[in-house]
Amino acid sequence: MSRIGKAPIEIPAGVTVQVKDNVVTVKGPKGELSQEINPIITVEQEGNHLIMKRPDDERQSRAMHGLYRALVHNMVVGVSEGYKKEMELVGVGYRAAANNNVLELSLGFSHAIYIKLPKEIKVDAKTERNKNPLIILESADKQLLGQVCAKIRSLRKPEPYKGKGIKFVGEIIRRKSGKSANAK
């Protein structure tokens, strides 16, 4: 059996889960999310646990078992605790400002970049003296949050020579040495 698929999903207090017609809907203090599930996977609620079951050991069934268990678990964690990503702008003159779910970025281009974020994502931009500007994104939907972060990062990926660009906080950029000084 799939190690991920067979693990039960614990439902914390304050979170309700409803399964109807292959659609799992999870409601909690941070919002409401729903996910359509492949009909070969059955979802059973036993007390405060959700259990995913599959009919056979076919390759497709095993793949779907782990996938949908992970997706539903991410939804439960999202509506109860939420997800948060922090991004850092490294570079001279790089700035970020946020107002009303619109993110304004100055990344060394001749113009500012405005990104309208989905309403499910809360954004905050912090700029402190002598520190790199930070973009803090929060959401209950892990997939949407990751997709938005990837879109923001794609505007100016960190480059390996000076390390300039948009990176996640704590991410380590592999640096290259550049030109060799003593080449003869």
Side-chain angles (χ1 to χ4, degrees):
M1 256 186 121
S2 164
R3 290 186 206 156
I4 294 173
K6 71 179 180 182
I9 301 169
E10 187 174 336
I11 303 169
V15 175
T16 59
V17 177
Q18 182 181 6
V19 182
K20 185 177 182 185
D21 298 331
N22 295 334
V23 176
V24 176
T25 305
V26 182
K27 293 180 188 174
K30 300 261 183 186
E32 177 181 345
L33 296 171
S34 62
Q35 173 70 44
E36 188 173 339
I37 300 230
N38 195 314
I40 63 172
I41 303 297
T42 57
V43 182
E44 296 176 4
Q45 188 167 357
E46 295 177 4
N48 64 341
H49 284 46
L50 272 182
I51 297 170
M52 303 280 186
K53 294 188 177 175
R54 65 174 191 249
D56 51 32
D57 273 348
E58 295 288 324
R59 184 179 178 90
Q60 185 72 16
S61 300
R62 290 194 318 256
M64 294 296 163
H65 192 209
L67 168 73
Y68 286 116
R69 190 266 177 205
L71 291 176
V72 172
H73 180 262
N74 288 344
M75 290 184 347
V76 169
V77 171
V79 297
S80 61
E81 300 168 21
Y83 290 99
K84 180 179 180 179
K85 295 252 187 182
E86 294 183 359
M87 302 179 88
E88 185 177 10
L89 277 65
V90 181
V92 177
Y94 287 10
R95 292 191 315 270
N99 51 357
N100 296 344
N101 268 17
V102 175
L103 184 63
E104 178 186 355
L105 299 170
S106 296
L107 300 174
F109 297 117
S110 62
H111 57 282
I113 299 169
Y114 295 92
I115 301 173
K116 176 120 174 70
L117 300 173
K119 65 182 185 320
E120 295 91 1
I121 293 183
K122 286 186 237 158
V123 64
D124 188 26
K126 290 184 180 176
T127 306
E128 293 181 24
R129 192 170 171 86
N130 295 330
K131 290 193 176 178
N132 293 326
L134 284 177
I135 302 168
I136 300 162
L137 299 161
E138 294 181 55
S139 178
D141 192 346
K142 188 175 185 178
Q143 285 177 299
L144 182 65
L145 184 64
Q147 195 172 5
V148 169
C149 287
K151 177 65 178 168
I152 292 171
R153 182 184 159 100
S154 72
L155 298 172
R156 187 71 95 173
K157 287 186 180 169
E159 52 96 16
Y161 297 101
K162 293 184 180 178
K164 292 169 57 173
I166 302 174
K167 68 180 190 111
F168 292 105
V169 172
E171 180 183 6
I172 297 170
I173 306 298
R174 273 187 73 188
R175 303 295 292 271
K176 292 184 179 178
S177 62
K179 280 199 229 176
S180 178
N182 296 345
K184 292 184 179 182

